[in-house]
Amino acid sequence: MRNCAFFVAASLALAISAVDSINAAETVWSGLVMAENVSRPAPIPAELTRIEETLKELFGYNQFQVIGQSRKTLKTGEEDWLASSKYFALHVDARGETEAGYVLNLKLFKEQELLLEMDTKLNKRSPLVIKGPQVGGGQLLLVLVVQ
Amino acid sequence: MKTFEEKWTAWLDDQLSGKELVDFEASLPDKAAAEAEKRDAQKLGALLKEQLGAQAMSNEEFFSHQLRERIGRETASQDRYGERSTWWTVRRLVWSGAASLAVFVICAVFVLRDKNPGEQSQYLTQILNARVDPAVSPNATISMFETKEDKVTVLWVEGLQSLPADYAAK
């Protein structure tokens, strides 16, 4: 009888912890990244380490520097936030949570001017990279990653 | 010519008779002691015969029972094996294999037909829509793709207005 009670309690605890982990809040990192070719490239930021090779292959630059970023922990999936640099701002508006991630509306502003708008389903395991405008000899990239 | 020991053994077993018996008994130095010894030997013989005879019978039955059981078990297991082996004939094996293969092919066809190659994977970030302001960037084009290695979804925008290097400031 005691063993049975212990088994039931353990099962219940496991089930609760599993449900809890499913609903655990997650953090979305959004960054404005300047990609450039320089003679002595700085180390890539930690947030981009996972996709470093892809970034280098796709865009052909050897240095990626974060000029603006935001790290937002989503609890309801309805939050909005801003990642901004001196001239650019990425406004992210979360519009709900799906089984695999979040539905987001993204707007890239250059000062007050809207350059780009998009809607996306950001997957927890799949980063999003957006090629922005050419800036000097480099390229502005927007990166979103669920951490 | 029998030795004394042979005659003694025969005398103990009451196998001597006639003149041989008389001569042997006459040759005994102490006939009374010999008679006592003969009685003891006969008692011992009777006792041994009784005991050993009963044990021998018991062992025989035991071994016979064991043998019968073992033969019964082996016969039964051979019968069962024989029944099983007769069902899986080569012909049935071939038919079973062909049927399994057919089921697999049907399932594979259904699964592949249901999968739409144009559909974005649910394991990747999906871009629902994207637009640029045509007034600001009239020549802009948008395309999207995914990299398989690290599952990165890329929105590739070409034709946005180029900006001076000052805009790279933090």
Side-chain angles (χ1 to χ4, degrees):
Chain A
M1 188 64 188
R2 186 177 288 180
N3 284 343
C4 185
F6 175 76
F7 179 74
V8 170
S11 304
L12 205 61
L14 275 174
I16 289 168
S17 67
V19 169
D20 197 43
S21 68
I22 286 169
N23 293 329
E26 280 166 298
T27 301
V28 176
W29 182 83
S30 358
L32 298 164
V33 178
M34 271 308 302
E36 288 173 302
N37 273 324
V38 293
S39 53
R40 287 186 179 180
I44 195 156
E47 292 83 1
L48 302 176
T49 309
R50 188 185 138 195
I51 56 171
E52 179 180 3
E53 286 308 311
T54 299
L55 291 176
K56 285 180 177 172
E57 280 176 24
L58 283 177
F59 299 103
Y61 296 100
N62 63 6
Q63 176 178 273
F64 298 87
Q65 283 196 307
V66 177
I67 59 170
Q69 63 178 313
S70 173
R71 190 174 275 108
K72 182 73 176 178
T73 301
L74 298 185
K75 289 170 185 166
T76 64
E78 303 284 343
E79 295 87 343
D80 70 305
W81 64 96
L82 199 67
S84 53
S85 66
K86 187 174 179 182
Y87 295 103
F88 295 104
L90 175 65
H91 179 253
V92 185
D93 183 11
R95 294 179 176 176
E97 188 175 359
T98 66
E99 201 173 306
Y102 301 97
V103 178
L104 305 177
N105 172 261
L106 308 177
K107 286 178 184 158
L108 173 66
F109 293 94
K110 184 193 80 182
E111 297 173 309
Q112 302 298 317
E113 190 176 57
L114 178 64
L115 293 182
L116 173 69
E117 182 175 5
M118 63 178 290
D119 295 301
T120 180
K121 274 187 189 174
L122 183 67
N123 193 292
K124 292 169 187 175
R125 295 173 187 166
S126 170
L128 172 64
V129 176
I130 302 162
K131 183 186 176 194
Q134 189 85 26
V135 179
Q139 184 83 51
L140 178 68
L141 304 178
L142 315 174
V143 181
L144 281 97
V145 182
V146 180
Q147 293 178 317
Chain B
M1 183 68 184
K2 288 182 179 173
T3 62
F4 176 80
E5 284 75 21
E6 285 171 336
K7 286 179 183 171
W8 172 255
T9 308
W11 180 71
L12 287 178
D13 294 338
D14 289 329
Q15 298 293 316
L16 292 181
S17 60
K19 185 176 179 298
E20 199 178 17
L21 175 64
V22 174
D23 289 346
F24 179 73
E25 287 183 340
S27 69
L28 291 172
D30 185 350
K31 192 180 174 189
E35 290 285 354
E37 197 170 336
K38 181 180 180 180
R39 280 193 301 275
D40 289 344
Q42 283 175 341
K43 276 185 193 173
L44 181 62
L47 180 69
L48 284 174
K49 200 176 281 182
E50 185 186 327
Q51 293 299 321
L52 290 176
Q55 273 190 351
M57 183 60 78
S58 155
N59 279 342
E60 184 181 294
E61 281 178 0
F62 173 73
F63 282 122
S64 142
H65 172 71
Q66 292 282 70
L67 273 173
R68 275 199 302 274
E69 276 205 339
R70 187 166 176 178
I71 290 167
R73 277 200 305 271
E74 284 178 0
T75 309
S77 70
Q78 277 174 356
D79 286 349
R80 280 199 298 275
Y81 177 75
E83 282 167 16
R84 277 202 302 270
S85 65
T86 53
W87 199 90
W88 284 108
T89 58
V90 174
R91 191 173 180 176
R92 283 186 174 169
L93 276 172
V94 170
W95 277 111
S96 304
S100 306
L101 195 64
V103 169
F104 170 76
V105 169
I106 290 167
C107 291
V109 166
F110 271 103
V111 168
L112 289 176
R113 202 170 59 177
D114 284 349
K115 191 176 177 183
N116 182 357
E119 193 178 326
Q120 281 184 302
S121 167
Q122 59 173 326
Y123 301 108
L124 293 169
T125 290
Q126 296 173 38
I127 294 165
L128 304 175
N129 58 69
R131 55 205 162 268
V132 293
D133 187 345
V136 178
S137 309
N139 300 319
T141 58
I142 294 173
S143 57
M144 56 194 85
F145 57 89
E146 291 129 6
T147 63
K148 287 186 179 172
E149 299 83 32
D150 41 17
K151 295 181 180 175
V152 176
T153 297
V154 181
L155 182 74
W156 195 273
V157 185
E158 286 285 0
L160 288 174
Q161 181 191 5
S162 294
L163 301 166
D166 297 347
Y167 280 82
K170 288 187 181 180

